[in-house]
Amino acid sequence: MTGGSRNIMRRNNVVVLGTGSQTIVLAHGLGCDQRIWHKVVPLLSADYRLVLFDYVGAGESDLSQYNEAKYKTLRGYADDLLDVVECLNLDQPYLLSHSASGSIGVLAEQAAPGTFRHLLMVSPSPRYINDGAYQGGFERSDIDALLELMEENYFQWANVMAATAMKNEQRPELAERLVRSFQQARPDIMLNFARAILYSDYRAEYAELACPVSVMQAADDAIVPPAVSDYLVGTMQKCELYTLDAQGHYPQLSHPAEVVTLLRKILNAALPRP
């Protein structure tokens, strides 16, 4: 491994485990790190090679590599994702992405077409703000208020967001797990990441994508409404929608067995690349 590859492995805390001829790269969302997949990994590692990593600023990534200007938009994170694939010499792996990483994967595939065999998205959204007939789930004023709370009282934001996003009120330990994840992150970095996500609009990039996409959406998600998934299916060139009988924005935590069962179904019938 070259010095540059070692730097990328260290920068993004890259972990490779599992066996199998198919490789899946797992990408986390805002306020989390690769440990958000901890319930899914044991169910997949016997049959697939798994690549996990932390975006710079999250988990055990190298904080010295954080550059606010680079990560002002999601394209900076997409560049890092491409670096991880390249340094490991991965040949068209699958990308399993959660939430904002859906858009990061789209941007990476757009920048380097053919990088991924298939994009497997859990709870993605190309735009969170309502725009005319497009219903992203939030008004601009809602996002402004959310980010203002995040800036003024990050720990209050963490508790509010965890409860709202996780749902599953009968299982409070899930929201508590998410709060801990949020609180382990550096607030200023997470605020910059949140702005890059919540004010973004990548509808055009999703529509132009030629790579096959499978969207896995919880039936009851307070962050991404069903209208967004319906929009993606109606707009993207090769997109299939699968609805999970699950609550919340983090089904990989709340319903890991259901996610893996659906994931295996999709992988077994994955669309071939042209």
Side-chain angles (χ1 to χ4, degrees):
M1 185 176 290
T2 66
S5 294
R6 282 192 294 271
N7 179 61
I8 292 166
M9 296 287 285
R10 183 171 58 251
R11 181 190 70 191
N12 291 105
N13 186 33
V14 180
V15 175
V16 181
L17 48 82
T19 59
S21 59
Q22 294 178 323
T23 299
I24 305 174
V25 179
L26 294 85
H28 65 83
L30 173 69
C32 303
D33 55 46
Q34 61 184 263
R35 289 170 290 191
I36 202 70
W37 301 106
H38 78 282
K39 291 186 177 181
V40 169
V41 166
L43 303 178
L44 291 174
S45 58
D47 301 304
Y48 300 96
R49 183 186 184 211
L50 305 178
V51 175
L52 297 104
F53 70 97
D54 299 328
Y55 289 118
V56 176
E60 301 300 321
S61 64
D62 184 355
L63 287 175
S64 71
Q65 298 292 312
Y66 185 76
N67 181 301
E68 185 174 349
K70 174 181 178 180
Y71 298 112
K72 193 169 186 177
T73 76
L74 298 186
R75 295 186 187 279
Y77 297 98
D79 289 342
D80 287 358
L81 173 57
L82 290 173
D83 284 346
V84 170
V85 172
E86 183 178 2
C87 83
L88 292 173
N89 296 311
L90 301 181
D91 181 17
Q92 286 196 323
Y94 292 89
L95 176 66
L96 176 58
S97 60
H98 175 242
S99 195
S101 275
S103 294
I104 293 171
V106 168
L107 295 175
E109 177 67 19
Q110 181 192 49
T115 294
F116 299 105
R117 183 176 300 276
H118 198 120
L119 301 184
L120 309 158
M121 302 182 181
V122 179
S123 310
S125 177
R127 178 175 172 85
Y128 294 86
I129 298 175
N130 300 332
D131 183 12
Y134 176 81
Q135 292 297 299
F138 299 89
E139 296 297 333
R140 172 73 184 230
S141 58
D142 298 329
I143 298 300
D144 291 342
L146 188 65
L147 291 173
E148 183 177 345
L149 175 62
M150 194 176 184
E151 186 170 17
E152 293 181 353
N153 191 330
Y154 182 81
F155 293 103
Q156 182 182 354
W157 169 86
N159 282 279
V160 170
M161 178 56 68
T164 301
M166 184 57 72
K167 285 186 170 287
N168 291 277
E169 292 82 2
Q170 73 283 10
R171 301 165 65 191
E173 70 278 4
L174 294 175
E176 292 166 4
R177 162 70 176 79
L178 196 56
V179 168
R180 291 195 299 272
S181 178
F182 288 162
Q183 292 181 344
Q184 288 171 356
R186 234 176 69 181
D188 59 322
I189 293 178
M190 289 304 101
L191 179 60
N192 198 39
F193 196 9
R195 285 172 175 154
I197 294 165
L198 297 175
Y199 286 137
S200 66
D201 184 356
Y202 293 115
R203 287 175 291 178
E205 286 80 1
Y206 275 74
E208 294 169 358
L209 196 71
C211 180
V213 174
S214 293
V215 172
M216 292 170 276
Q217 182 66 44
D220 184 8
D221 185 341
I223 306 300
V224 180
V228 172
S229 299
D230 293 339
Y231 171 84
L232 292 176
V233 172
T235 302
M236 299 186 74
Q237 298 178 36
K238 299 176 183 177
C239 181
E240 296 178 323
L241 171 62
Y242 299 86
T243 301
L244 288 158
D245 184 16
Q247 282 187 316
H249 191 60
Y250 294 82
Q252 71 270 47
L253 279 181
S254 61
H255 299 76
E258 289 86 343
V259 170
V260 170
T261 296
L262 179 53
L263 182 61
R264 288 181 180 278
K265 175 183 175 181
I266 295 170
L267 290 170
N268 288 338
L271 298 172
R273 288 302 299 262

